[in-house]
Amino acid sequence: IITSCASNTKTASQKNYNDIWIKTVKGKSVVAPNGYLYTFKDNGNVEYKMNGSKSRTGIFVYADTPNTAYYYEKMPLNNIAYDIRDSIPSSNVSMYVMFMISNNKLKMTSGYTKEYKDRLLSWKKNNLTIYNTLREGKDMSEYPIPYIEEVDKANQIEFGSLR
């Protein structure tokens, strides 16, 4: 019973955090250091545009606190596993980031934790040759994709003020 209460409280507070986050960001924009214009939509999702053309969309997952929220973007596996010299399936994978707001300035995480990097290194050691090609009998089906909890919160890019 105690576990049930705790999980209900978490769900209620998470919903409240989601509402607060979306209310804080919806309709606001910021230009990222790479030149993309990030615009937050009514549902919390964020569109990235370059020179007025929609490039990609970050999908809102949930707010961890009133000032932090997780997002994912569907990306081609070959964008992630770019250093592998074999043909890579044209499948899309979900890559997670966290956005943070402090003093109305938006920041985004960049990169993943040591735990993820260790998983990736282990996979490469077991599946790739010294030439970054797949070993005989190996394929890309188990290529490690970062989990949401492997987002490196300490590695951040500051965007600027939301307007």
Side-chain angles (χ1 to χ4, degrees):
I1 295 171
I2 293 173
T3 304
S4 177
C5 289
S7 69
N8 287 342
T9 303
K10 173 70 174 160
T11 303
S13 68
Q14 187 173 312
K15 164 113 178 69
N16 189 31
Y17 293 156
N18 290 351
D19 293 344
I20 293 168
W21 174 264
I22 290 170
K23 184 178 177 186
T24 301
V25 300
K26 78 176 178 180
K28 295 187 178 172
S29 298
V30 64
V31 176
N34 64 4
Y36 280 90
L37 175 66
Y38 283 61
T39 303
F40 289 89
K41 301 301 176 187
D42 290 347
N43 61 0
N45 290 352
V46 61
E47 282 185 2
Y48 322 138
K49 292 182 179 179
M50 179 62 87
N51 300 322
S53 298
K54 181 179 170 189
S55 177
R56 300 186 307 255
T57 300
I59 307 299
F60 174 70
V61 180
Y62 69 91
D64 202 26
T65 72
N67 298 315
T68 59
Y70 288 98
Y71 285 75
Y72 74 88
E73 179 183 334
K74 289 283 188 188
M75 300 181 90
L77 181 57
N78 63 356
N79 283 13
I80 312 309
Y82 59 88
D83 57 343
I84 296 175
R85 296 189 176 144
D86 278 312
S87 83
I88 298 173
S90 62
S91 58
N92 285 333
V93 295
S94 296
M95 298 299 289
Y96 293 97
V97 297
M98 176 187 263
F99 284 104
M100 296 141 285
I101 297 174
S102 177
N103 298 323
N104 202 40
K105 291 191 187 249
L106 185 73
K107 296 179 182 179
M108 183 180 85
T109 57
S110 176
Y112 298 95
T113 61
K114 181 181 180 330
E115 290 76 16
Y116 171 69
K117 292 174 185 170
D118 290 346
R119 272 194 318 122
L120 180 59
L121 184 60
S122 176
W123 182 88
K124 285 182 174 185
K125 283 182 182 177
N126 291 321
N127 290 277
L128 299 180
T129 68
I130 60 172
Y131 305 106
N132 279 348
T133 57
L134 289 167
R135 293 177 192 247
E136 190 172 325
K138 300 290 184 173
D139 62 35
M140 294 294 292
S141 64
E142 294 180 8
Y143 186 85
I145 303 303
Y147 302 123
I148 199 166
E149 57 273 8
E150 291 175 323
V151 168
D152 185 356
K153 297 174 189 170
N155 190 1
Q156 303 172 2
I157 301 168
E158 189 167 318
F159 284 27
S161 296
L162 283 171
R163 302 177 190 273

